[in-house]
Amino acid sequence: LKNLVKDEPNQKKLIELINGKIARRNQFIQAVIENRKVNGFEVAKSIMKTEIGRNLSLEISQLVTVFINEEKIAFNKRLKTAESNFKTAVISFTITIIISVVLMLITLLLFIELYNKKNESEKIATESELKIKKILNTLPVGIGIIDAKGNPYYSNDVCESIFGKNISTKTSYEKLPEAYQIYIAGTDILYPLEKRHTLRILQGEQFVQCDDLEILNNNKRITLSVSCSHLTNYSGKIEYIIYVVED
């Protein structure tokens, strides 16, 4: 996202502010967990009643809304100066909005999973998780999540439709090209490890876009565009890699 808005200082500040709020909320969640371990459930419950976590979530949601609105304005400005490259501008805007929404939804999804494990709210957490996954399934592009080890964690229906099969969580990223027949566009060469978006993100790149992939689906060659970013924890370490796939 920072690369996409590098010409918009205010948007860069918003991203930094959003990341800061997410880090504070994760610290609050960790504090609740630690208090429950040390002082018991009632103390943790009293901390939860302060609604600090809820307020931080609302602030994050509001900041993301501001970011999206500002990005719409910025996009209109870019569009006037890039009419000769309209398709690229639309793709850039679409990816910006989708990744913003996906980051917000995934952050909420991970919070719900953590709350479920630590506070014995399995039924509520499961229902909320299903709602979020349903929202991700309504998006018109493929959305996938990979964990910090490079293994598939989640993929929406569009993503699985593009690849022509369910994406197994047991398939490591080293074996993905062979398992799902992913090639360098225009060749029969399996997509090489060093060019893959997953590895490049794990090696430190903030945003990766690949437009030279092809897959074999029902004996048809399909060219793919893959955009990829990451989600970090409160200490700045990568926890999940999020990718957007368009055919």
Side-chain angles (χ1 to χ4, degrees):
L1 285 178
K2 286 183 179 179
N3 287 335
L4 288 174
V5 298
K6 60 185 178 182
D7 58 335
E8 298 290 338
N10 290 336
Q11 292 294 76
K12 291 177 67 176
K13 290 180 181 178
L14 272 175
I15 291 174
E16 292 173 358
L17 188 56
I18 290 170
N19 285 337
K21 295 286 185 183
I22 291 174
R24 284 180 58 196
R25 189 182 62 186
N26 287 339
Q27 290 172 353
F28 172 77
I29 294 170
Q30 191 63 35
V32 172
I33 294 170
E34 293 299 325
N35 268 281
R36 186 183 180 193
K37 290 179 179 178
V38 176
N39 301 314
F41 178 76
E42 290 301 323
V43 174
K45 184 177 179 181
S46 66
I47 296 175
M48 291 293 292
K49 285 183 178 179
T50 63
E51 295 192 346
I52 293 175
R54 178 178 177 274
N55 291 336
L56 284 171
S57 294
L58 289 174
E59 291 174 11
I60 292 169
S61 178
Q62 291 168 356
L63 287 171
V64 170
T65 299
V66 172
F67 176 87
I68 291 173
N69 290 335
E70 290 296 325
E71 188 60 21
K72 288 180 180 178
I73 295 172
F75 170 72
N76 288 330
K77 292 180 181 178
R78 297 190 194 105
L79 191 60
K80 290 180 181 179
T81 59
E83 291 181 356
S84 62
N85 200 9
F86 177 77
K87 182 178 179 180
T88 301
V90 170
I91 291 174
S92 176
F93 170 72
T94 303
I95 291 173
T96 299
I97 299 301
I98 289 174
I99 291 180
S100 297
V101 174
V102 169
L103 284 174
M104 182 176 65
L105 291 173
I106 289 172
T107 300
L108 180 58
L109 175 62
L110 297 176
F111 169 76
I112 290 169
E113 289 182 347
L114 182 60
Y115 186 85
N116 173 44
K117 293 177 181 178
K118 301 301 179 181
N119 297 281
E120 299 176 355
S121 301
E122 182 175 352
K123 183 178 179 180
I124 296 174
T126 300
E127 290 176 353
S128 299
E129 182 179 340
L130 289 174
K131 288 179 181 179
I132 292 173
K133 288 181 177 179
K134 186 175 181 180
I135 293 173
L136 291 175
N137 276 328
T138 64
L139 296 175
V141 294
I143 303 293
I145 307 173
I146 297 172
D147 65 23
K149 294 181 180 179
N151 299 316
Y153 174 79
Y154 167 80
S155 57
N156 70 353
D157 291 345
V158 174
C159 188
E160 294 187 352
S161 175
I162 289 173
F163 284 97
K165 62 181 75 174
N166 293 336
I167 298 178
S168 173
T169 56
K170 297 181 180 179
T171 304
S172 64
Y173 74 94
E174 294 98 335
K175 298 180 180 179
L176 282 174
E178 182 177 354
Y180 298 98
Q181 296 180 290
I182 305 174
Y183 302 95
I184 297 176
T187 75
D188 292 323
I189 302 172
L190 290 173
Y191 207 76
L193 179 65
E194 64 273 9
K195 294 186 66 176
R196 292 176 210 167
H197 53 278
T198 304
L199 182 62
R200 290 167 62 185
I201 290 291
L202 290 174
Q203 289 177 339
E205 293 189 43
Q206 299 295 311
F207 178 84
V208 174
Q209 184 165 353
C210 303
D211 298 308
D212 59 342
L213 295 88
E214 279 186 356
I215 62 168
L216 187 62
N217 187 346
N218 292 327
N219 295 320
K220 292 183 180 179
R221 288 272 188 157
I222 302 173
T223 302
L224 301 181
S225 175
V226 179
S227 302
C228 187
S229 187
H230 64 269
L231 185 67
T232 58
N233 59 20
Y234 66 92
S235 63
K237 293 183 179 180
I238 294 176
E239 282 199 348
Y240 295 95
I241 298 169
I242 302 104
Y243 62 90
V244 178
V245 182
E246 295 182 278
D247 58 7

